[in-house]
Amino acid sequence: MATERLENKPCGGRYGDIVQAIGNTPLVELKRLSPKPGVRIWAKLESSNPTGSVKDRVARSLIEDAEARGAIRPGQTILEPTSGNTGISLAMICKRKGYRLKVVMPDNVTPERTQLLQMYGAEIVYSDGTKGSNGAVELALEMAAADSSYYMPYQYGNEANPNAHYNGTALEILEELDEISAFVAGLGTGGTLMGNARRFKEELGDAVKIVAAEPMQGEPVQGLRSLDDGFIPPIIDLSLLDRKIFVTNRDAIIWTRKLLDEEGIFAGVSSGAIARVAVRIANELDEGNIVFIVCDDGWKYLSSGIYTRPVDEIENLDSTVWW
Ligand SMILES: Cc1ncc(COP(=O)(O)O)c(C=O)c1O
């Protein structure tokens, strides 16, 4: 009797340890969010990574790049500014591989982040939350300048960050789709956009449009940044971006709820913002595939009530660092 072909090639894979199990995430079609039958919207579920975010890929790439160059040795302290996800991923990987980790993080991120970092054994240094992720970057750079025993991967300026997507995320998507009209991702360090954009433009040419979802300038957001706030991460090559579209915190939360209610996808707030932009692009097309990134899952945001309370009743909607 013929065996039916497995859809999840093959069962998500078999790996020697949890670090090797990073990546190979599902690509899921969102039929209810698509405005037209000819336009297919696909979500790349980076929330399915071991610590629940896209940053597992990046953290592994940053650490393995440093190992390959002989830049770190077991027991050394790694220092990194992060709004949360990179820190959580680094914490898991450092614990597995035997490095110490110190993260610099804005003091107004959701409390689950602190718990997750502590759970994986990281030390946390808080920066001024009103300065957003730029404040964390500033403080970490000062600390690294004052103490040369730290190794700072610095995801904002390290090509190992976009390379995690160039050699991972983008190849996985290309294995599933021959045509991509638009790729939509959030803009934080720019790693996701740059790595995927470079691969897609090489393979598919200018037919694929690269679209960045940015928070409104001045909204203190976690994970994403507005390039208009004065800091352009060194890894960003603006010529690779075809468009950038702004999303408010309020819209991001409304669309995070839509992902859950209409498609059953339990995602973080930046993914809501990115989905909102993906649907806007879908409205402008007559046919084609649109791929967007679900950056993380919703567990870390549960305490805020965004999945259960009416949007108008959410406390500190504008001042909380969401994405
Ligand atoms: C939840 C979340 N969404 C989006 C991003 C943006 O990704 P990137 O840094 O690749 O631009 C981040 C980055 O920290 C994030 O934590």
Side-chain angles (χ1 to χ4, degrees), residues 52-55 58 81-87 113 133 155-156 161-162 165 185-196 213 222-225 233 235-236 268-271 274 293-297 300-301 322-323:
S53 93
V54 65
K55 292 297 182 175
V58 174
T82 161
S83 52
N85 280 333
T86 304
R113 276 157 206 274
S133 39
Q155 58 169 342
Y156 292 90
N161 171 4
H165 297 284
L187 198 140
T189 63
T192 309
L193 281 160
M194 292 299 114
N196 283 290
Q222 178 256 307
L224 301 197
R225 64 169 58 254
I235 57 168
I236 293 188
V269 184
S270 69
S271 307
I274 298 162
I293 299 287
V294 169
C295 308
D296 62 358
D297 56 31
K300 294 182 293 285
Y301 309 86
W322 292 111
W323 39 294

Side-chain angles (χ1 to χ4, degrees), residues 2-14 175-176:
T3 315
E4 271 192 47
R5 192 173 153 271
L6 288 170
E7 287 290 340
N8 55 346
K9 314 162 195 172
C11 310
R14 188 172 93 171
E175 207 170 284
E176 301 301 334

Side-chain angles (χ1 to χ4, degrees), residues 135-252:
V137 173
E138 261 171 49
L139 181 57
L141 287 171
E142 278 168 31
M143 289 168 65
D147 184 344
S148 63
S149 73
Y150 290 128
Y151 175 76
M152 185 151 107
Y154 195 49
Q155 58 169 342
Y156 292 90
N158 189 331
E159 287 300 322
N161 171 4
N163 284 345
H165 297 284
Y166 182 80
N167 296 316
T169 326
L171 294 182
E172 291 169 25
I173 294 167
L174 286 168
E175 207 170 284
E176 301 301 334
L177 299 175
D178 298 327
E179 184 277 341
I180 302 171
S181 296
F183 173 77
V184 189
L187 198 140
T189 63
T192 309
L193 281 160
M194 292 299 114
N196 283 290
R198 264 209 320 273
R199 179 68 79 182
F200 292 148
K201 296 271 183 191
E202 271 172 29
E203 297 293 326
L204 307 170
D206 269 341
V208 51
K209 298 299 171 210
I210 307 298
V211 186
E214 280 190 46
M216 300 295 275
Q217 194 191 357
E219 299 216 3
V221 288
Q222 178 256 307
L224 301 197
R225 64 169 58 254
S226 165
L227 291 177
D228 297 341
D229 75 358
F231 173 65
I232 299 183
I235 57 168
I236 293 188
D237 171 2
L238 288 174
S239 71
L240 284 172
L241 295 183
D242 292 295
R243 285 173 77 177
K244 46 185 192 146
I245 294 177
F246 290 102
V247 185
T248 61
N249 275 353
R250 191 188 166 84
D251 267 359

